[in-house]
Amino acid sequence: MRAAVLEDHGEPLVVRDVDYPDPAPDQVVVETEACGVCRSDWHAWRGEWEWFGIHTGPGQILGHEPAGVVAEVGSDVETLSVGDRVTVPFHLGDGTCPQCRDGHSNLCETSLPLGFTEHAPGAFAEAFAVREADYNCAKLPDEVDFVEMAGLGCRFMTAYHGLTDRTGVRPGDTVAVHGCGGVGLSAIHIANAVGAYPVAVDISEEKLDRARELGAAATVNASEIDDIPGEIRALTDGAGADVSVDALGIAETCRNSIGSLGKRGSHVQIGLTSGEEEGEIPIPVDSITLQEIDLHGSYGMPLVRYEELFRLVERGTLDPERIVGETLALDEVSETLTAMDDYETVGIPVVTEF
């Protein structure tokens, strides 16, 4: 089968024939119908994240935002059949650890991140295998198509988990989103859908235009304004944001996000750092203390929350396909990853031709 294979960090992926997956007893093989191209793929392609234990080496097949059709079923699998339309989380859990049993599968103690480790080859391929398939595969409703599901991939789900589960955004809350890539635009759309007041911050006017289309009530061009927290406060009559999201993961956006908050506000860290920060960003601890700021991380979304998200898509409350920037062929993934060097992609690119 065809797959886009990492051979050297930062060099074009090589599209070549590889062995078709042979499912272990607990696994299914899913034939890929769509897969998002995420900035997390870019981090792995660049050879980053070793500081927290991710070692994505030569021979790896990337791709962790898939949707597809079950093609083969292992002998121990009980709930899935050939032909089922499914998606899987990028954080493949074991279903048995304390976190999984407590409904937090995204924090599984033996998680295998799809597409980032040799033990879980990803979905930039015609097919991929899924561990503990009964636990990790979610069947897609008929009303949710494959491109929509790829748009729901890790970025949309992480934004949804961060806003609804981690911070409990309410109607009327001001939600500042720093960085309008795929996850940031997802947060804008979700905040608007729940009746909040989203404020989009980015240096790209094209991305800010897209944020307005998705429901941003106000936008801030960070290339034109030096004091981003001050601008957010001006937009909120001095109160500051109720919730603020760092959707990029660099020192500037993290600190601006915290600084944008009013008293008892909540900061959500979604963006993961790159080689410049290597996981460490200085933050204003005294301000956090004096204003009783809450800090939250958001990493994927527990499997138990998928059904709620599917219902919102079925009803039209959420429309992840609006965030899809373009569809592309497997041979174009490298070009898309290269464009991410300078943040040139708008929305979520999705591979649909394998």
Side-chain angles (χ1 to χ4, degrees):
M1 69 173 185
R2 278 165 45 91
V5 181
L6 174 69
E7 293 199 345
D8 291 294
H9 291 131
E11 295 298 322
L13 303 179
V14 176
V15 178
R16 58 179 171 86
D17 286 335
V18 300
D19 290 339
Y20 193 88
D22 182 20
D26 68 303
Q27 295 181 339
V28 297
V29 174
V30 177
E31 293 194 342
T32 317
E33 294 288 340
C35 185
V37 183
C38 179
R39 190 161 184 83
S40 295
D41 295 308
W42 176 86
H43 283 286
W45 174 65
R46 281 294 181 195
E48 299 184 339
W49 290 353
E50 290 196 357
W51 51 88
F52 62 80
I54 295 292
H55 305 282
T56 304
Q60 182 67 42
I61 301 171
L62 303 174
H64 62 282
E65 297 184 315
V69 177
V70 174
E72 294 191 20
V73 179
S75 58
D76 292 345
V77 176
E78 299 178 350
T79 63
L80 297 160
S81 302
V82 171
D84 285 343
R85 302 168 67 253
V86 298
T87 188
V88 300
F90 69 89
H91 39 74
L92 299 174
D94 60 25
T96 62
C97 78
Q99 294 296 334
C100 287
R101 293 200 306 270
D102 200 32
H104 300 289
S105 58
N106 55 320
L107 302 178
C108 175
E109 293 175 3
T110 67
S111 174
L112 286 180
L114 181 69
F116 296 100
T117 170
E118 63 180 332
H119 303 293
F124 290 162
E126 291 183 292
F128 61 97
V130 182
R131 77 178 284 204
E132 300 296 341
D134 284 323
Y135 183 69
N136 285 303
C137 285
K139 294 180 182 179
L140 293 180
D142 292 339
E143 293 81 4
V144 178
D145 67 31
F146 295 120
V147 173
E148 266 187 321
M149 188 58 240
L152 276 173
C154 86
R155 284 162 285 188
F156 198 101
M157 288 188 168
T158 301
Y160 186 81
H161 177 53
L163 291 179
T164 64
D165 299 333
R166 302 293 287 144
T167 64
V169 167
R170 297 173 297 180
D173 282 350
T174 297
V175 179
V177 178
H178 302 260
C180 292
V183 71
L185 291 174
S186 298
I188 291 290
H189 176 46
I190 294 161
N192 176 65
V194 301
Y197 181 91
V199 179
V201 183
D202 203 279
I203 61 172
S204 165
E205 199 58 42
E206 183 180 8
K207 292 182 180 181
L208 292 174
D209 286 342
R210 191 67 175 273
R212 283 187 282 268
E213 293 172 5
L214 290 166
T219 59
V220 177
N221 191 319
S223 67
E224 300 174 354
I225 295 171
D226 293 329
D227 183 5
I228 301 302
E231 185 68 15
I232 301 296
R233 292 182 180 279
L235 288 168
T236 56
D237 296 324
D242 301 290
V243 175
S244 194
V245 178
D246 176 13
L248 184 54
I250 63 174
E252 184 177 6
T253 52
C254 178
R255 290 174 60 84
N256 281 343
S257 177
I258 294 171
S260 298
L261 290 164
K263 293 182 178 181
R264 299 177 63 240
S266 294
H267 165 76
V268 187
Q269 190 64 41
I270 294 178
L272 290 167
T273 63
S274 60
E276 185 172 344
E277 290 84 12
E278 294 191 350
E280 300 288 339
I281 294 174
I283 59 174
V285 173
D286 289 346
S287 294
I288 291 168
T289 302
L290 294 172
Q291 297 188 77
E292 294 193 353
I293 299 298
D294 291 330
L295 304 181
H296 300 275
S298 182
Y299 177 69
M301 189 174 78
L303 284 157
V304 295
R305 302 287 283 131
Y306 276 42
E307 286 300 323
E308 176 181 304
L309 196 54
F310 289 157
R311 286 196 300 271
L312 292 172
V313 174
E314 289 177 281
R315 295 169 184 170
T317 305
L318 296 175
D319 185 1
E321 199 160 6
R322 292 178 62 196
I323 303 167
V324 173
E326 60 178 333
T327 57
L328 54 145
L330 188 63
D331 305 84
E332 299 173 284
V333 171
S334 292
E335 181 180 343
T336 301
L337 291 172
T338 301
M340 290 181 178
D341 284 345
D342 297 315
Y343 306 100
E344 293 176 1
T345 57
V346 178
I348 296 175
V350 175
V351 183
T352 57
E353 297 177 32
F354 295 87

